[in-house]
Amino acid sequence: MWPAKIPVLQLKIRGDNLLSFYQIDGEIRFMEIRDYPLMPMLRTLHQYPYMMDAMQCDKGAIRHIFSGSHVMAPGLTSEGGIVHAGLPARAPVAITAEGKQHAMGVGVLSMSSEEIVS
């Protein structure tokens, strides 16, 4: 994932938000948005699926998420959704879907997992 003695290239994009990508061995593997933790790209997450905690949404939310909607608490707390307990706000998570093998996105929690459940 992050091999020793291989140069890491940081690619910075400036605009409204400071955005950085990390290229390792010719492949962009991580991204960093200002004031947020370092997050893997989706391809890296598919290669190492257990590198971060996951939240699972129900089947009805899949098409909305792929259309660009935010992941809402009802999609996580309904039948088929799974909320990983003990996560604080602003924690990076993998977004998975009910009945699917791979993650469909990477995100940051805006509320803690206890607040999502309640």
Side-chain angles (χ1 to χ4, degrees):
M1 184 168 48
W2 200 299
K5 299 183 181 181
I6 290 185
V8 176
L9 183 63
Q10 182 182 18
L11 309 168
K12 291 185 178 182
I13 299 174
R14 296 193 188 270
D16 291 336
N17 292 327
L18 182 64
L19 183 64
S20 298
F21 294 101
Y22 293 89
Q23 183 177 5
I24 303 169
D25 203 20
E27 179 182 348
I28 296 176
R29 296 193 184 178
F30 295 94
M31 74 174 188
E32 183 178 30
I33 302 171
R34 180 180 34 179
D35 300 330
Y36 287 98
L38 192 69
M39 293 184 289
M41 300 300 286
L42 197 55
R43 182 175 182 157
T44 304
L45 184 60
H46 287 172
Q47 291 174 348
Y48 304 97
Y50 300 107
M51 71 182 298
M52 58 192 317
D53 297 317
M55 296 279 197
Q56 178 178 306
C57 68
D58 61 357
K59 289 181 180 179
I62 296 172
R63 68 183 177 103
H64 297 290
I65 294 169
F66 280 139
S67 296
S69 295
H70 294 281
V71 179
M72 302 292 184
L76 296 171
T77 56
S78 64
E79 186 177 332
I82 298 174
V83 177
H84 190 87
L87 292 176
R90 300 181 63 88
V93 292
I95 303 165
T96 60
E98 177 185 10
K100 303 298 179 189
Q101 180 182 2
H102 297 292
M104 62 178 171
V106 177
V108 177
L109 293 177
S110 59
M111 301 186 303
S112 69
S113 55
E114 286 77 24
E115 291 173 327
I116 293 172
V117 172
S118 63

